[in-house]
Amino acid sequence: MKALVVNCTLKRSPAPSNTEALAEVVVGQLVKEGVAVEVVRAVDLDILPGVTSEAAGEGDAWPGVHEKLLAADILVMASPTWVGRPSSVAQRVLERMDGMLSETDDQGRPVAYNRVAGVVVTGNEDGAHHVISEISGGLADIGYTIPGPAWTYWHLGPGPGPDYLDDERGREWSHRTGRAMAANLYGVARALAENPLGAPPQ
């Protein structure tokens, strides 16, 4: 089984990413379950605006990410909170994933069917539940199955505060929730692999 983590931080590599640091807790549990995990930092790639899976222009890196999405049974979207919302990078990724709505497999199923997804959020402001809802809602629209719960987050709200990598407070809860998230994603992915959804009725 394969998982893809799309880190939607605004920080380019090699800058430390709070979001990636918390996502690594989820990755660690998935690896314990025997899942092969790949992490992509979307901001490092030239992902052009658009709503198609094909290249939206010269040098567009999205088709490569799209291939990774189709190869993964599990998707983890990880985003910081900015002004109470998902990052602009997360929004760009979701917009490009919109192209998957018109794609089906050889049995007529939307290509996101029988794949599961969850969300990791960090931020030095409150709004994590809103970010989780926005991203989970978009992924469900595209066809992903969202187990419950399939999220974890960290912040020391209300209001602005320190970053995840700068403060140990709250980490125990976030890590425990992250491990539960990973176990739920893996369990539901296995169930769907054994009893996949069919094509929607016409």
Side-chain angles (χ1 to χ4, degrees):
M1 190 161 285
K2 296 181 179 180
L4 177 67
V5 177
V6 181
N7 178 11
C8 297
T9 178
L10 300 183
K11 300 173 182 174
R12 292 185 180 271
S13 297
S17 165
N18 295 285
T19 305
E20 188 165 302
L22 181 54
E24 284 297 325
V25 175
V26 180
V27 169
Q29 184 64 38
L30 288 171
V31 170
K32 284 185 179 179
E33 302 283 4
V35 179
V37 183
E38 181 176 2
V39 179
V40 170
R41 192 181 288 205
V43 75
D44 288 341
L45 306 174
D46 188 13
I47 298 174
L48 299 181
V51 291
T52 65
S53 297
E54 294 75 28
E58 186 176 353
D60 184 13
W62 181 254
V65 179
H66 178 253
E67 288 182 14
K68 295 178 189 294
L69 289 168
L70 296 185
D73 308 284
I74 298 169
L75 169 64
V76 175
M77 286 273 291
S79 174
T81 304
W82 288 114
V83 291
R85 303 184 62 82
S87 73
S88 57
V89 176
Q91 185 63 34
R92 173 71 55 87
V93 168
L94 286 171
E95 287 168 353
R96 293 306 301 264
M97 289 178 71
D98 186 80
M100 295 169 67
L101 285 166
S102 60
E103 299 171 31
T104 56
D105 64 14
D106 55 7
Q107 297 183 45
R109 296 174 297 197
V111 292
Y113 268 36
N114 300 308
R115 305 177 196 277
V116 300
V119 184
V120 171
V121 178
T122 59
N124 61 3
E125 57 180 273
D126 52 7
H129 275 283
H130 177 75
V131 173
I132 291 164
S133 297
E134 290 235 332
I135 295 176
S136 295
L139 294 172
D141 281 350
I142 293 163
Y144 282 87
T145 296
I146 313 294
W151 49 260
T152 189
Y153 69 88
W154 183 95
H155 74 79
L156 292 180
D163 290 325
Y164 171 82
L165 288 171
D166 299 328
D167 200 311
E168 295 285 339
R169 289 177 295 167
R171 286 197 192 184
E172 181 182 352
W173 180 88
S174 297
H175 291 187
R176 185 172 67 250
T177 309
R179 290 189 293 269
M181 165 189 172
N184 292 342
L185 288 170
Y186 176 67
V188 175
R190 282 190 60 190
L192 287 171
E194 294 170 4
N195 296 285
L197 298 170
Q202 298 299 312

